[in-house]
C-alpha cells in the first residue's frame, strides 16, 4: 500500500490533481452549504449546463475570429478544452446574475429560474458547436467538457484553479456569512444591515465561478455533485453553520482524494470515481446517523 | 455661543406622508399619513387584511412604497431602521437552518451569520435574553422552541442592539397568559423607564388600554382613525372590528401584571 501511495506521490500530474481537486472541492462544499440552506440545490446543475452553453459560444467565437484573421481555431485537444472553460467563466457569471435577476423580478420560487436557464443555455451550446462544426473548425474534446479531466491538468491550470478556489473559499468564510444570514431570513437580515438583493446576486455569481473552476475536476454532468452531496451530508447532523462548513469541506476534500486514488488504481475516469466516492460516503453517513440519532430512522 | 442641535436628534420617530403601496397592481396601502413622536407607544389595530403588517414593512423599508415618503428619526428607512429592533409576526426563518438562539442574536449585532460565538457576543446575548426572561434559551436550536419561546428569543434579538424604537407585529401571538403579562410589562417598562418608542400591531384591547399612548385604526389599507386611546376606543364600531376576545385578556386585567 505504501509503495502504491509513494508511486502516486511521485507523479507530478497526480500531485496537481490532488491539490487542485481538493481545493476546488472545498470551495464547492462551502458554497454548497449556502446553496443548500437557500433551497436552490439545483443551481449547480443549472450553472454547469449553462457553462456548456458558454463554452460552446466561446468555441464558436474562437472559430469565427480564426476564420476572420486566418489563424487556426483552437481545437481544445492539447489542453482538453481548458481555453474554452476559462474564457467562458465570465459569461457563466453573467448567466448566474441573470438567473438571480429573473428569480427576483419574476418572483419565481425555488429552482424555477434555474430550470428556465438550464435548457436554454444547453441548447445554445449545442447550436454553437454545430455552427462551429459547419464552419469547418476542428471538433472539441467533448468528453473532457462533459466529464472532466483533472489528471490532464497543466501547472498553469492548477494555478488558476487553486487561486480561484482559495479566493471563493475566503469570500464564503467572510462575506458569505451575510449570504447565510439572508438565507436564514431575508427580512431579519435586511433589518440587521444585510443587502439581501446583493447577497442573492453574489451567491449566484460565486456559484457560476466555482462551477467554472470545477469543470476540470468533474465536467458539466458531474460538477453539481460537488455542491450538493457534501452539503447534504453535513445537513444530516445537528451542528452550527460553522460546523456544517467544516464538515462539508472535510467530506469533499476526502472524497476527491480517495476518488482520485481509486481512479488511478483501477484506471477509470476520475470524475465518475470522485462522485461515486461521495455517494458512498453520503450513504455511509446516513447509516451511521440512523444508529447514532435515535429518531433518525422514523 | 449658539449651539444648534442636530435636527435628526429632535425629528419625529416616524413620519409617513401620503404613502401608498401596491403589489402586482393590487392596492395594499392607500394615502397613509401620520407622525409619531419619540417615546410614544403606538398600537396599530384593525381587522385582518387591513394592511397593518404591510404598513410596518413599508415603514421599515422591507416593502417599497409606490407613492409617498417615510422617514425614521429624520433619516431614510434604510438608514433609520438601524435604530430599530423588529419582531416579525410570522417567523419566516428557514426551519432547517442550523440556528441557535445565541447565533440569531449575535447575527443581529454583527450583521452576518457567526461562524463561532465569542464570549463577548455570548454575554451580550445572555443579557438580552435576561431582560425577556429567556436566559435558559441561549443555546437552544430555534426549531426546538415553542411559539412563546420563539417570541422571547426574537424580542431579545430586537433589544440586543439597544434600539431607540421597537417595532412588534402581534408579539402576543402564540404566547401563553403568563408570557403575555411579562411581555406587556416589559414593553410598558421600556417606554416609561427608557423612553423607548414602541410600535405594535395588536388585536388585544387590554394591551391597547394599558400600554398605548397613540392608536391607529386601519381598514381597507388606509388609516381610518388616529389619536389617543380614549378617543379611538370610544367608537363602538372600532371596538367591535379591531379587537378579538382572546383568553389572555383576563390575565392582563386580573392584576397578574403590574403596570
Amino acid at each position: 500500500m505504501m509503495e502504491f501511495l509513494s508511486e502516486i506521490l511521485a507523479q507530478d500530474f497526480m500531485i496537481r490533481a490532488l491539490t487542485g481537486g481538493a481545493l476546488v472541492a472545498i470551495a464547492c462544499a462551502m458554497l454548497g452549504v449556502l446553496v443548500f440552506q437557500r433551497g436552490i440545490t439545483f443551481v449547480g446543475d443549472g450553472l454547469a449546463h449553462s457553462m456548456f452553453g458558454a463554452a460552446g459560444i466561446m468555441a464558436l467565437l474562437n472559430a469565427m475570429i480564426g476564420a476572420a484573421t486566418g489563424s487556426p481555431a483552437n481545437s481544445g485537444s492539447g489542453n482538453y478544452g481548458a481555453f474554452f472553460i476559462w474564457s467562458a467563466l465570465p459569461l457563466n457569471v453573467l448567466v448566474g446574475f441573470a438567473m438571480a435577476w429573473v428569480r427576483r423580478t419574476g418572483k419565481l420560487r425555488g429552482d424555477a429560474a434555474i430550470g428556465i436557464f438550464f435548457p436554454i443555455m444547453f441548447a445554445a451550446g449545442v447550436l454553437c458547436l454545430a455552427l462551429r462544426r459547419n464552419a469547418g473548425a476542428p471538433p472539441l474534446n467533448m468528453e473532457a467538457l462533459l466529464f472532466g479531466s483533472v489528471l490532464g491538468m497543466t501547472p498553469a491550470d492548477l494555478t488558476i484553479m487553486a487561486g480561484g478556489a482559495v479566493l471563493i473559499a475566503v469570500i464564503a468564510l467572510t462575506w458569505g456569512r451575510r449570504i447565510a444570514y439572508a438565507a436564514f431570513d431575508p427580512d431579519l437580515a435586511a433589518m440587521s444591515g444585510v443587502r439581501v438583493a446583493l447577497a442573492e446576486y453574489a451567491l449566484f455569481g460565486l456559484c457560476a465561478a466555482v462551477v467554472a473552476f470545477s469543470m476540470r475536476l468533474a465536467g458539466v454532468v458531474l460538477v453539481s455533485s460537488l455542491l450538493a452531496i457534501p452539503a447534504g451530508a453535513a445537513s444530516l447532523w445537528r451542528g452550527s453553520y460553522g460546523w456544517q462548513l467544516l464538515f462539508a469541506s472535510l467530506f469533499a476534500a476526502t472524497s476527491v482524494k480517495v476518488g482520485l486514488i481509486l481512479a488511478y488504481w483501477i484506471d477509470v475516469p476520475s470524475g465518475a470515481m470522485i462522485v461515486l466516492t461521495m455517494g458512498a460516503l453520503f450513504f455511509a453517513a446516513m447509516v451511521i446517523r440512523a444508529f447514532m440519532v435515535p429518531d433518525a430512522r422514523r | 455661543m449658539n449651539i444648534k442641535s442636530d435636527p435628526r436628534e429632535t425629528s419625529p420617530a416616524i413620519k409617513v406622508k401620503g404613502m401608498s403601496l401596491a403589489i402586482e397592481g393590487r392596492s395594499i396601502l392607500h394615502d397613509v399619513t401620520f407622525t409619531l413622536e419619540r417615546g410614544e407607544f403606538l398600537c396599530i389595530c384593525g381587522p385582518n387584511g387591513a394592511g397593518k403588517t404591510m404598513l410596518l414593512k413599508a415603514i421599515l423599508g422591507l416593502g417599497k412604497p409606490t407613492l409617498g415618503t417615510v422617514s425614521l428619526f429624520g433619516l431614510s428607512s434604510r438608514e433609520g431602521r438601524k435604530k430599530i429592533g423588529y419582531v416579525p409576526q410570522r417567523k419566516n426563518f428557514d426551519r432547517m437552518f442550523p440556528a441557535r438562539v445565541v447565533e440569531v442574536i449575535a447575527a443581529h449585532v454583527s450583521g452576518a451569520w457567526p461562524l463561532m460565538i465569542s464570549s463577548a457576543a455570548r454575554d451580550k446575548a445572555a443579557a438580552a435574553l435576561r431582560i425577556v426572561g429567556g436566559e435558559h434559551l441561549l443555546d437552544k436550536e430555534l426549531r426546538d422552541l415553542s411559539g412563546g419561546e420563539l417570541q422571547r428569543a426574537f424580542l431579545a434579538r430586537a433589544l440586543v442592539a439597544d434600539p431607540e424604537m421597537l417595532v412588534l407585529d402581534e408579539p402576543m401571538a402564540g404566547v401563553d397568559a403568563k408570557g403575555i403579562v411579562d411581555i406587556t410589562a416589559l414593553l410598558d417598562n421600556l417606554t416609561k423607564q427608557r423612553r423607548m418608542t414602541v410600535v405594535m400591531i395588536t388585536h388585544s384591547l387590554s394591551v391597547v388600554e394599558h400600554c398605548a399612548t397613540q392608536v391607529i385604526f386601519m381598514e381597507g389599507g388606509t388609516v381610518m382613525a388616529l389619536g389617543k386611546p380614549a378617543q379611538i376606543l370610544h367608537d363602538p364600531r372600532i371596538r367591535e372590528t379591531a379587537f378579538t376576545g382572546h383568553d389572555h385578556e383576563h390575565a392582563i386585567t386580573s392584576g397578574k401584571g403590574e403596570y
Side-chain angles (χ1 to χ4, degrees), chain A residues 37-38 107 173 177-178 180-181 183-185 187-192 194-195 238-242 244-245, chain B residues 24 57 62 81 86 92-94 96-99 103 107-108 111-115 141-144 154 157:
Chain A
Q37 297 301 345
R38 197 76 186 85
K107 298 198 183 334
L173 285 171
R177 297 191 299 118
R178 290 169 186 267
Y181 196 3
F184 167 69
D185 188 316
D187 280 356
L188 294 183
M191 287 300 295
S192 305
V194 176
R195 301 183 74 169
R238 283 199 163 201
S240 67
Y241 170 70
Q244 290 211 349
L245 285 183
Chain B
E24 290 170 3
K57 288 199 166 193
L62 300 174
R81 70 188 181 196
Y86 171 53
N92 284 333
F93 66 87
D94 180 356
M96 293 311 293
F97 196 98
E103 289 165 340
H108 183 50
W113 198 265
L115 293 178
E141 284 201 36
L142 247 54
R143 56 183 153 186
D144 293 335
F154 276 79
R157 175 194 167 279

Side-chain angles (χ1 to χ4, degrees), chain B:
Chain B
M1 193 166 61
N2 185 18
I3 300 172
K4 271 191 172 179
S5 62
D6 184 343
R8 285 175 298 187
E9 295 295 318
T10 53
S11 40
I14 302 175
K15 192 168 186 180
V16 179
K17 201 173 170 188
M19 183 176 68
S20 296
L21 187 146
I23 297 175
E24 290 170 3
R26 194 165 67 90
S27 174
I28 307 293
L29 298 172
H30 178 66
D31 198 20
V32 176
T33 298
F34 73 93
T35 300
L36 184 73
E37 296 301 332
R38 297 173 187 228
E40 300 269 18
F41 194 126
L42 171 69
C43 281
I44 303 175
C45 313
N48 291 334
K52 304 184 294 294
T53 295
M54 274 319 297
L55 174 61
L56 280 196
K57 288 199 166 193
I59 290 170
L60 297 172
L62 300 174
K64 200 176 175 187
T66 35
L67 275 176
T69 56
V70 180
S71 68
L72 299 169
F73 303 102
L75 303 163
S76 67
S77 293
R78 187 182 283 274
E79 282 301 308
R81 70 188 181 196
K82 291 173 185 167
K83 298 170 181 248
I84 293 174
Y86 171 53
V87 180
Q89 176 194 15
R90 276 191 292 178
K91 307 297 180 277
N92 284 333
F93 66 87
D94 180 356
R95 302 265 160 186
M96 293 311 293
F97 196 98
R100 289 181 299 146
V101 172
V102 64
E103 289 165 340
V104 173
I105 297 173
H108 183 50
V109 177
S110 64
W113 198 265
L115 293 178
M116 282 184 292
I117 300 289
S118 67
S119 58
R122 192 177 169 78
D123 291 347
K124 208 166 182 177
L129 280 166
R130 202 171 301 125
I131 297 172
V132 299
E135 288 162 278
H136 61 290
L137 303 174
L138 190 65
D139 286 311
K140 286 200 172 178
E141 284 201 36
L142 247 54
R143 56 183 153 186
D144 293 335
L145 301 187
S146 68
E149 288 174 327
L150 265 183
Q151 288 292 34
R152 284 177 195 269
F154 276 79
L155 203 50
R157 175 194 167 279
L159 288 169
V160 71
D162 214 6
E164 290 184 34
M165 176 159 64
L166 265 186
V167 173
L168 311 113
D169 194 346
E170 294 194 43
M172 316 301 185
V175 181
D176 60 22
K178 184 185 176 303
I180 288 166
V181 171
D182 290 348
I183 292 172
T184 314
L186 168 72
L187 296 176
D188 205 40
N189 179 46
L190 288 172
T191 42
K192 286 180 182 146
Q193 304 290 319
R194 299 198 197 180
R195 286 267 303 152
M196 192 183 280
T197 311
V198 177
V199 177
M200 178 166 75
I201 293 177
T202 183
H203 287 287
S204 167
L205 180 60
S206 307
V207 170
V208 176
E209 285 174 332
H210 280 96
C211 301
T213 58
Q214 293 286 326
V215 180
I216 281 179
F217 172 67
M218 289 189 75
E219 203 169 30
T222 194
V223 174
M224 303 296 284
L226 162 67
K228 299 276 180 200
Q231 292 171 275
I232 305 297
L233 300 179
H234 185 67
D235 186 336
R237 198 181 75 80
I238 292 177
R239 290 179 79 98
E240 198 175 300
T241 53
F243 305 108
T244 51
H246 289 302
D247 51 5
H248 63 255
E249 303 287 278
H250 176 69
I252 295 171
T253 52
S254 66
K256 285 188 199 168
E258 295 297 323
Y259 301 104

